Amino acid sequence: YSKSRISGKFFEWYKNGNPKLEGEHIESEKGLNSDIKIYQYWNSKNKHLVIDGNGDFEENEEDRIVRGKVKKGFKDGIWTGVNNKYKYKYTDLYKKGEFINGKSIDSSGVEREYNVLELRAMPKNGIQDFYNYIGKNFKKTQEAIQNKITGKLIISFIINKEGEIVEPKILQSLGYGLDEEAIRVINGYENWIPGQQRGVTVRVLYSIPITVTL
């Protein structure tokens, strides 16, 4: 990692041990995320489709289908795909690795145009408002106070398509009633903007730490 962003060369293999992809995470010009440069790519039939950064990318997995051209290591031109998890088809336009715009069609035939691939689910009043709410409303239990419990618990939850918090789950427990208190507080926060993927509203998984001090 570099500046909290994944960086450097990486390799992927299929379950049977055959090579799948050789690439590199490079710093984005926009400085938000790492861009991916593709050097070599083999499909599931071990056919070498992208050679030294040029060729046709074609991935056919259980949950997705993706096709497009790679030039000098970057996505270029029209890329098409099918997302079986969220049941939509899409067409994206790239220019020298930069995403320009796209259009998706869901299972109901509704078309959506977008110029951002993904939008993270966010509280309507901003993420800091969410953190402030937790800090203000999380209360240590008497049992935890008596036993002088300190440490960090980690809780995950999902923001559903309606912008509601569902399925809270403790990933790292502190016990002494603190886990239940964390779930109570998380469930009490409302007003989230749902996440989107290619213009389609999707469920988004979050996990956050809550630090308990004396």
Side-chain angles (χ1 to χ4, degrees):
Y1 283 83
S2 175
K3 300 177 183 178
S4 298
R5 291 187 292 272
I6 195 166
S7 177
K9 293 183 178 180
F10 68 96
F11 303 85
E12 294 181 2
W13 293 265
Y14 290 98
K15 290 182 179 180
N16 61 9
N18 287 338
K20 180 178 181 180
L21 190 149
E22 295 180 12
E24 185 175 6
H25 292 280
I26 60 176
E27 186 173 349
S28 170
E29 292 183 0
K30 297 179 180 179
L32 298 176
N33 298 293
S34 297
D35 289 332
I36 293 179
K37 194 171 185 178
I38 300 172
Y39 296 130
Q40 314 291 337
Y41 175 76
W42 297 260
N43 66 9
S44 58
K45 297 179 180 179
N46 203 32
K47 186 176 181 180
H48 200 174
L49 298 179
V50 177
I51 302 173
D52 297 333
N54 296 284
D56 296 310
F57 187 97
E58 183 179 303
E59 186 176 42
N60 196 334
E61 302 289 345
E62 182 178 351
D63 61 341
R64 66 187 179 277
I65 299 172
V66 183
R67 293 186 177 91
K69 284 193 173 295
V70 178
K71 293 182 180 180
K72 296 182 180 180
F74 294 105
K75 294 180 178 180
D76 197 75
I78 298 295
W79 277 60
T80 62
V82 177
N83 187 308
N84 292 321
K85 180 179 180 180
Y86 293 114
K87 296 179 172 55
Y88 67 83
K89 301 178 181 180
Y90 64 88
T91 301
D92 291 341
L93 175 62
Y94 289 87
K95 185 176 181 180
K96 298 180 180 180
E98 181 182 356
F99 171 73
I100 306 300
N101 54 50
K103 178 186 291 186
S104 63
I105 304 175
D106 66 20
S107 57
S108 300
V110 177
E111 294 188 4
R112 297 175 174 86
E113 296 183 358
Y114 48 90
N115 51 26
V116 177
L117 288 172
E118 291 186 333
L119 290 174
R120 186 81 164 152
M122 289 291 292
K124 291 182 179 179
N125 295 324
I127 195 66
Q128 192 58 50
D129 182 74
F130 177 55
Y131 293 149
N132 291 343
Y133 166 85
I134 294 174
K136 181 179 179 180
N137 291 277
F138 183 86
K139 307 297 182 184
K140 287 181 288 185
T141 62
Q142 284 300 120
E143 187 179 8
I145 293 173
Q146 292 171 0
N147 287 275
K148 299 182 179 180
I149 300 301
T150 63
K152 182 184 296 182
L153 68 82
I154 300 176
I155 183 171
S156 71
F157 53 92
I158 290 174
I159 306 300
N160 67 15
K161 295 180 181 181
E162 287 70 44
E164 302 166 333
I165 292 177
V166 297
E167 301 177 31
K169 180 180 179 181
I170 299 297
L171 302 181
Q172 181 172 300
S173 171
L174 282 179
Y176 298 92
L178 295 172
D179 299 347
E180 292 79 5
E181 175 64 6
I183 290 175
R184 180 193 71 80
V185 173
I186 291 295
N187 278 334
Y189 190 86
E190 301 176 347
N191 298 323
W192 282 74
I193 300 171
Q196 289 188 359
Q197 188 179 94
R198 290 186 165 90
V200 178
T201 303
V202 297
R203 288 159 55 95
V204 176
L205 175 67
Y206 264 89
S207 62
I208 63 168
I210 296 178
T211 301
V212 177
T213 59
L214 289 176

